[in-house]
Amino acid sequence: GGGDPAWGAVFIAGGITAAFYGVAVGLGQKHPKTVLAYSSISQMGLITVAFGIGLTLGAGASGAAAAVLCYAFHHALAKGALFLGVGVVGGIEKQSRMRLWVTALLGLAALALAGAPLTTGALAKTALKAAMVQLPAGWEKTLAILLPLSAIGTTLLMGRFFYTLRTFRADHRVSAIEFSSCIALIVLSATLLFLLPVGRQMAPAMM
C-alpha cells in the first residue's frame, strides 16, 4: 500500500532490459517457436515494467494493476494462438491454400501482440500508458520513448516469426482439436479483453 520507489525503479529497469533483450536475441533465431519464446521474454519485460510502476506508486497503483491484468490476459491468448498455430501451419502441406489462410489468421494474433490499433494489444498498451502518467517526470519521459521502441521491436520479431514459419514443417498431422483450439484462441485474442470490465474502461482511451 505504501509503495517502494527504489524497488519500483529496479523492476522498471529490469523490465525494460528484458523487453529489448528478448527482441535482440529473438531476431537471430531460426525456429518459429524459439522466436515466440524470446518474444515472450520481451512481453514479460513490459509486464514487469507495469509491476514496477505499481511498486513506485503504492496506494495509487490501480492503473498499474489494470495494465498487468490486461497484458497477462492479452499475452496468454495471443501467444497461445501463435504457439498452437506453428503446429497447425507446419502440419499442412506447403502448397495448400488452407496453410495460407491459417497463416493469415495468425497475422491477427501477431498484430495484437505488436499492439496494432483496435486490438487487445493496443488496449494493454493504453492501460500501461495510463499508469505511466502518474510516475515522476523522469520515468514518464523515459518510458514514453522506450515503450514505442519496444513495440517496433515486437513488430520486427513477428516479421521474423513469419519468415521462419514459411519453411517450417511439422512431423505430425493436424488434429481437429488442435486446429479448432488455434482458431478459437485467435478469435478470443481479438475480442475477449474488450468484454471484461477493465477492458471496457480502457477502450475509450484508444479512440
Side-chain angles (χ1 to χ4, degrees):
D4 192 329
W7 275 108
V10 170
F11 276 88
I12 292 173
I16 291 171
T17 301
F20 286 97
Y21 170 82
V23 171
V25 180
L27 287 173
Q29 304 306 311
K30 298 180 180 179
H31 193 291
K33 285 191 176 181
T34 310
V35 176
L36 291 179
Y38 279 103
S39 170
S40 291
I41 291 175
S42 180
Q43 294 292 302
M44 292 308 105
L46 296 177
I47 293 178
T48 304
V49 168
F51 185 78
I53 292 173
L55 276 178
T56 301
L57 298 177
S62 59
V68 170
L69 174 62
C70 286
Y71 258 108
F73 210 137
H74 143 72
H75 185 265
L77 294 171
K79 192 57 68 68
L82 289 168
F83 266 108
L84 270 178
V86 172
V88 171
V89 170
I92 302 173
E93 292 296 330
K94 289 184 179 180
Q95 305 304 320
S96 169
R97 184 172 294 181
M98 179 61 72
R99 180 169 176 136
L100 180 63
W101 278 108
V102 175
T103 302
L105 286 174
L106 287 179
L108 297 176
L111 285 172
L113 207 64
L118 300 179
T119 65
T120 54
L123 187 62
K125 291 181 187 301
T126 299
L128 186 54
K129 288 178 181 178
M132 282 167 43
V133 173
Q134 305 175 65
L135 284 173
W139 271 125
E140 183 187 358
K141 291 179 180 178
T142 300
L143 292 177
I145 295 171
L146 294 179
L147 291 181
L149 291 177
S150 75
I152 293 173
T154 299
T155 303
L156 293 174
L157 269 183
M158 290 300 97
R160 179 62 180 173
F161 165 71
F162 283 107
Y163 180 80
T164 58
L165 186 63
R166 65 188 177 87
T167 57
F168 179 71
R169 189 79 179 97
D171 56 0
H172 69 281
R173 288 189 175 184
V174 181
S175 68
I177 292 177
E178 185 180 15
F179 183 84
S180 59
S181 296
C182 176
I183 300 302
L185 277 176
I186 291 173
V187 173
L188 289 173
S189 71
T191 60
L192 188 57
L193 193 55
F194 289 98
L195 303 178
L196 297 176
V198 65
R200 291 197 296 271
Q201 290 172 7
M202 293 292 174
M206 295 172 55
M207 304 304 182

